[in-house]
Amino acid sequence: MKSVIDLKNVGYSYQNKEEVLNGLSISIPEGKKIALLGANGAGKSTLMLLLNGVLKPNEGQLFYKGEPYNYKRKGLRALRQKVGVLFQEPDSQIIAPTVYEEVAFGLSNLDFDKETVRKKTDAVLECFYLTDIQYKNPHHLSVGQKKRVCFASVLAMAPDVIVADEPTSGLDHPYAQQMFKEFDFLNAQGKTIIISTHDMNHAYEWADYVIVLHKGKVWQCGSADEVFANEAALKEAGLPQPLLLQLAKYLGLKEMPRDVESFKQLIH
Amino acid sequence: MSFRIQNHTCIGIRVLFIVGAMILCYLSTSNVYHAFMIGLFAASTPLLTKFSFKIAFRRLMMPFLFVSIAALTVALELSFNTAGSPFIKVVFSKESFAFAIQLFLKSMSVISVVSLGIAMISISEMTAFLRFFRVPELLIELLVMVHHSIQIIGHKTTKLYTAQKSRMAYNGQFKNGLTCFSLLVTSIFSSSLNQIQQQAIALDARCYNNKLVWVLPRKNIKSIQLVWLTIGLSIITIPVFFI
Ligand SMILES: Nc1ncnc2c1ncn2[C@@H]1O[C@H](COP(=O)(O)OP(=O)(O)OP(=O)(O)O)[C@@H](O)[C@H]1O
Ligand SMILES: [Mg+2]
């Protein structure tokens, strides 16, 4: 499996106090849909900021396609074009006075000419159903709408790796589905998607690869089937097993169903 | 009918309108004209911007307070009588009173014009306009960041205040009010600071290059809007010749 980002013995602590991550080593496989799981305060958001080069590890090193991260100005710029990050709190990302300018903001930092920026912005707005509210002040939107604006703004920059911190929290069902569809679409183009989530059920159904963080380390990683089968390890990390798995086990099914449809077929 | 217009022109028209109205207010010495401008601009704020009448009114409250205090200090003359009683005498002279009225109306008219201007021109449009006049980048960035911080603090304050209220704070007792208020202030300070830091991180994550480049959407101007502009300009200029 080819990896896109490698972390070797990465340690991080805020303001040099308690260690949030210590000795964390992992390879992020390229072109996969990856779910990052962990209890509150496990360090998911911290890890995501490390991936984008926003935080610099106190120990260890990160590599993008084999090249060590370069924390100089130019290096970071190049890195951030390739690794886009969507923040957990939409409020902390919004800077522009209108939705349109917010979406155009990332693009205009990338040395495109204005016409190209406008064209791309229009396309992205359309794709996220934001055309109707493009002249609104993003601060006056609902949380879900804000999230979509932020996501559109990151995606407009067309990064190869998309890191999204709890992208669907606060979204209603249709928009959450839409968001996952968008992830699938991007993944089909060969992009690597990393999301953190507390929704075990969705993570199980959606992810190719799962990483569980606990005690500042990678507690478990591997394919969704492998990781979720290990109930004891999950429990220790403070996570429940997905509902489908619990049901399948209770019913004594031989195969483990990945989604509701295959579950229905199995019990018939 | 509608036609495309350069963003600069579009912003320029609005800025010129506001600046023109401001100059007229400064130059005019007629109380009637000032009162007319206050009424006109205060009333048109809810029409021309997204603000409701209530909010437009509230925006003017704060400056109103300051200007009233200033006008009062001008109007009243205190004279101290060291020999007999009463010790302090408040004197109202006719001239000082007239001057105070004029000062009050003039300041308020300028303020209502500026307040409409702030509501009508967004920060990114202001940036585009300043850049057009070759204002140094550093100043522009400073302006945007200060504006943004004020906005963040404003939003935080409303949120925290509502959160406090919903937990039975400010129940009318003075001591309780004081405690709640001091908690509010410290909380606003730390959380705003936190968010401003987060903001810097988020800017970096999107390849921010120490130059705020805004790409404004293209706007189509409808011919009817030009008609409105002309009407607006004549409404504010014509009275100058009569009053
Ligand atoms: N800016 C910060 N300064 C100091 N400590 C922080 C900061 N951000 C996070 N921490 C600490 O780092 C630890 C991990 O936080 P992190 O935000 O990465 O958790 P998380 O896994 O994203 O949790 P959640 O599921 O609640 O989002 C927490 O214990 C938190 O107290
Ligand atoms: Mg988090």
Side-chain angles (χ1 to χ4, degrees):
Chain A
M1 203 160 43
K2 226 175 121 191
S3 65
V4 57
I5 299 177
D6 293 285
L7 290 90
K8 293 223 169 87
N9 271 321
V10 169
Y12 188 82
S13 51
Y14 285 97
Q15 281 111 39
N16 295 324
K17 281 189 208 135
E18 211 178 311
E19 288 225 303
V20 177
L21 302 174
N22 52 52
L24 187 141
S25 301
I26 194 164
S27 298
I28 310 272
E30 191 172 8
K32 291 269 190 262
K33 299 186 277 188
I34 299 153
L36 185 59
L37 306 176
N40 285 140
K44 302 183 294 294
S45 302
T46 310
L47 175 58
M48 290 185 146
L49 292 180
L50 281 166
L51 293 179
N52 181 260
V54 168
L55 301 179
K56 194 178 169 184
N58 302 130
E59 295 159 30
Q61 258 188 322
L62 285 91
F63 300 85
Y64 184 85
K65 295 196 173 157
E67 292 272 321
Y69 275 28
N70 170 1
Y71 290 92
K72 297 242 171 62
R73 227 188 143 66
K74 260 192 175 159
L76 280 182
R77 212 175 134 73
L79 176 72
R80 284 166 184 167
Q81 283 182 36
K82 288 174 202 136
V83 184
V85 56
L86 177 68
F87 289 79
Q88 188 168 4
E89 281 276 329
D91 276 332
S92 59
Q93 191 177 320
I94 290 168
I95 170 108
T98 65
V99 170
Y100 186 99
E101 287 156 75
E102 182 66 33
V103 173
F105 178 77
L107 280 173
S108 43
N109 288 337
L110 291 186
D111 309 327
F112 289 121
D113 63 283
K114 284 200 169 174
E115 271 324 302
T116 322
V117 171
R118 285 210 176 92
K119 245 184 233 149
K120 290 189 180 210
T121 306
D122 285 335
V124 172
L125 285 171
E126 186 113 352
C127 178
F128 283 87
Y129 306 102
L130 295 170
T131 319
D132 291 343
I133 55 168
Q134 59 178 323
Y135 300 122
K136 275 200 167 182
N137 184 337
H139 282 292
H140 300 163
L141 301 176
S142 79
V143 176
Q145 286 173 323
K146 278 186 208 167
K147 274 234 147 129
R148 269 159 43 218
V149 171
C150 292
F151 190 46
S153 171
V154 172
L155 270 201
M157 296 169 76
D160 289 335
V161 179
I162 295 155
V163 178
D165 202 349
E166 300 191 25
T168 54
S169 71
L171 292 191
D172 63 12
H173 186 70
Y175 279 123
Q177 292 297 68
Q178 163 69 25
M179 183 79 94
F180 274 106
K181 257 198 207 133
E182 193 59 37
F183 285 139
D184 288 341
F185 175 72
L186 291 166
N187 180 247
Q189 294 174 355
K191 298 191 191 275
T192 311
I193 321 275
I194 308 170
I195 67 165
S196 80
T197 179
H198 290 291
D199 185 346
M200 294 298 132
N201 297 320
H202 217 128
Y204 176 58
E205 200 177 313
W206 177 81
D208 303 323
Y209 193 82
V210 177
I211 300 168
V212 179
L213 287 187
H214 183 51
K215 293 185 178 165
K217 287 206 165 60
V218 175
W219 190 247
Q220 273 182 293
C221 68
S223 73
D225 292 317
E226 273 168 38
V227 170
F228 284 115
N230 191 344
E231 194 183 351
L234 277 179
K235 200 168 175 186
E236 204 161 335
L239 303 173
Q241 252 191 328
L243 211 58
L244 276 178
L245 274 187
Q246 292 185 29
L247 282 175
K249 216 152 100 199
Y250 179 72
L251 293 173
L253 300 182
K254 280 187 219 88
E255 255 180 87
M256 290 296 138
R258 275 302 281 275
D259 50 36
V260 178
E261 282 313 312
S262 55
F263 179 72
K264 281 180 187 162
Q265 275 169 13
L266 278 174
I267 55 174
H268 276 138
Chain B
M1 197 181 85
S2 72
F3 42 91
R4 275 221 163 148
I5 175 165
Q6 281 275 317
N7 275 317
H8 289 129
T9 330
C10 192
I11 303 159
I13 289 173
R14 268 178 285 166
V15 172
L16 283 182
F17 181 75
I18 295 294
V19 171
M22 242 165 77
I23 291 174
L24 286 177
C25 285
Y26 271 124
L27 293 183
S28 166
T29 49
S30 149
N31 286 346
V32 183
Y33 182 70
H34 288 143
F36 165 74
M37 290 293 265
I38 297 172
L40 181 73
F41 275 79
S44 51
T45 304
L47 292 180
L48 294 177
T49 65
K50 288 165 287 182
F51 293 112
S52 70
F53 194 76
K54 204 171 135 196
I55 294 180
F57 182 72
R58 246 193 243 158
R59 283 163 64 92
L60 289 179
M61 269 328 278
M62 203 59 152
F64 174 79
L65 217 74
F66 286 123
V67 173
S68 316
I69 292 171
L72 266 181
T73 29
V74 173
L76 302 179
E77 274 173 33
L78 302 181
S79 71
F80 298 94
N81 186 358
T82 39
S85 65
F87 179 62
I88 298 179
K89 227 161 112 191
V90 181
V91 184
F92 252 130
S93 81
K94 221 177 187 177
E95 293 86 59
S96 69
F97 188 68
F99 181 65
I101 291 278
Q102 199 185 19
L103 178 81
F104 175 79
L105 287 174
K106 198 173 200 168
S107 321
M108 275 315 285
S109 66
V110 173
I111 286 169
S112 45
V113 170
V114 170
S115 143
L116 179 69
I118 292 172
M120 255 179 22
I121 301 162
S122 80
I123 185 73
S124 51
E125 292 173 329
M126 192 62 101
T127 319
F129 193 74
L130 293 178
R131 202 165 271 150
F132 187 74
F133 284 107
R134 305 264 184 287
V135 174
E137 279 305 322
L138 198 67
L139 277 184
I140 295 180
E141 193 189 343
L142 196 68
L143 177 78
V144 174
M145 289 307 164
V146 167
H147 172 93
H148 201 72
S149 317
I150 291 174
Q151 243 194 350
I152 287 178
I153 292 171
H155 284 294
K156 274 273 169 235
T157 311
T158 13
K159 268 188 199 162
L160 286 169
Y161 182 69
T162 330
Q164 278 190 322
K165 275 278 219 193
S166 68
R167 281 177 291 172
M168 309 292 291
Y170 304 106
N171 56 9
Q173 280 167 358
F174 180 71
K175 201 168 161 221
N176 169 278
L178 210 62
T179 322
C180 293
F181 185 71
S182 60
L183 277 176
L184 179 70
V185 171
T186 34
S187 177
I188 288 170
F189 187 72
S190 66
S191 66
S192 301
L193 205 65
N194 198 347
Q195 189 161 2
I196 289 165
Q197 274 172 359
Q198 283 274 323
Q199 190 84 57
I201 291 177
L203 285 183
D204 274 349
R206 276 183 294 170
C207 299
Y208 174 58
N209 219 358
N210 290 336
K211 181 172 189 236
L212 290 154
V213 199
W214 303 109
V215 176
L216 302 164
R218 280 225 185 283
K219 286 215 174 102
N220 285 341
I221 283 243
K222 298 201 182 75
S223 40
I224 186 80
Q225 280 169 310
L226 284 184
V227 175
W228 280 121
L229 180 75
T230 331
I231 293 175
L233 277 178
S234 32
I235 288 179
I236 62 166
T237 34
I238 290 171
V240 175
F241 300 109
F242 294 99
I243 304 170

